[in-house]
């Protein structure tokens, strides 16, 4: 019997997931831990340097925000080139509905509440913008690392149910 277009798409996605899982299974748990540990040290080292540069310039979080934006863009580009966006939970980027993003506008305005309502703030407008971008970048990487990378490592080693339970309980 001929497959419907949706069945062809589903079977292609399933095959793609199995291929990615085979690639990921070749990496040992030890290698994944090494990659994650080195990544954390590099991230925190560069973040510390960015913090010092921000202090030298006198704009709080400026270089931290620039660093995290560059890092986020690099992560998305690398994962896209490797075909792993969906695998690490970023597949929704291609189906992004801009209209639904309007619900997040109030959250984006929170850092500017002091300026909007006339409350005295100790930071400059550029510092507030940098802090807002830094918060977005940190949230992006938290999701990518914990719900993307670490979840997949645990899932491949112990199974999906155990990965959900372990990660949820450790982050609760």
């Amino acid at each position: 019997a001929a497959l419907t277009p949706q069945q062809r798409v589903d079977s292609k996605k399933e095959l793609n997931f199995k291929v990615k899982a085979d690639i990921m299974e070749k990496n040992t748990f030890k290698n994944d831990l090494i990659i994650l540990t080195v990544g954390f040290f590099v991230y925190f080292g560069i973040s510390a340097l960015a913090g010092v540069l921000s202090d030298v310039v006198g704009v709080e979080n400026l270089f931290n925000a620039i660093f995290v934006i560059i890092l986020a863009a690099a992560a998305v580009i690398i994962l896209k080139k490797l075909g792993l966006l969906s695998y690490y939970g970023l597949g929704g980027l291609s189906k992004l509905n801009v209209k639904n993003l309007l619900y997040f506008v109030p959250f984006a305005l929170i850092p500017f509440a002091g300026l909007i309502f006339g409350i005295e703030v100790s930071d400059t407008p550029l510092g507030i913008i940098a802090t807002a971008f830094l918060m977005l970048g940190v949230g992006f990487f938290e999701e990518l690392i914990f719900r993307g990378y670490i979840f997949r490592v645990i899932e491949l080693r112990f199974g999906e149910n155990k990965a959900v339970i372990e990660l949820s309980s450790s982050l609760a």
Side-chain angles (χ1 to χ4, degrees), residues 46-86:
I46 294 174
S47 290
L49 178 62
V52 169
L53 290 173
S54 294
D55 290 343
V56 168
V57 172
V59 179
E60 190 176 351
N61 295 323
L62 178 64
F63 286 97
N64 298 76
I66 291 170
F67 164 65
V68 90
I69 289 168
I70 291 170
L71 196 60
V76 169
I77 290 167
I78 290 168
L79 290 175
K80 186 172 185 169
K81 283 189 182 230
L82 294 174
L84 294 171
L85 276 177
S86 293

Side-chain angles (χ1 to χ4, degrees), residues 34-137:
I34 290 169
I35 290 168
L36 196 59
T37 304
V38 169
F40 273 124
F41 278 110
V42 169
Y43 176 81
F44 288 120
I46 294 174
S47 290
L49 178 62
V52 169
L53 290 173
S54 294
D55 290 343
V56 168
V57 172
V59 179
E60 190 176 351
N61 295 323
L62 178 64
F63 286 97
N64 298 76
I66 291 170
F67 164 65
V68 90
I69 289 168
I70 291 170
L71 196 60
V76 169
I77 290 167
I78 290 168
L79 290 175
K80 186 172 185 169
K81 283 189 182 230
L82 294 174
L84 294 171
L85 276 177
S86 293
Y87 186 77
Y88 286 112
L90 297 174
L93 290 176
S94 60
K95 303 177 244 175
L96 191 63
N97 183 348
V98 178
K99 185 178 176 184
N100 288 341
L101 290 178
L102 293 176
Y103 293 112
F104 295 100
V105 170
F107 295 112
L109 294 176
I110 289 173
F112 302 101
L115 295 175
I116 294 169
F117 297 110
I119 301 170
E120 185 67 32
V121 291
S122 61
D123 208 354
T124 65
L126 181 59
I128 293 171
I129 292 169
T131 301
F133 277 103
L134 179 62
M135 291 183 334
L136 290 171

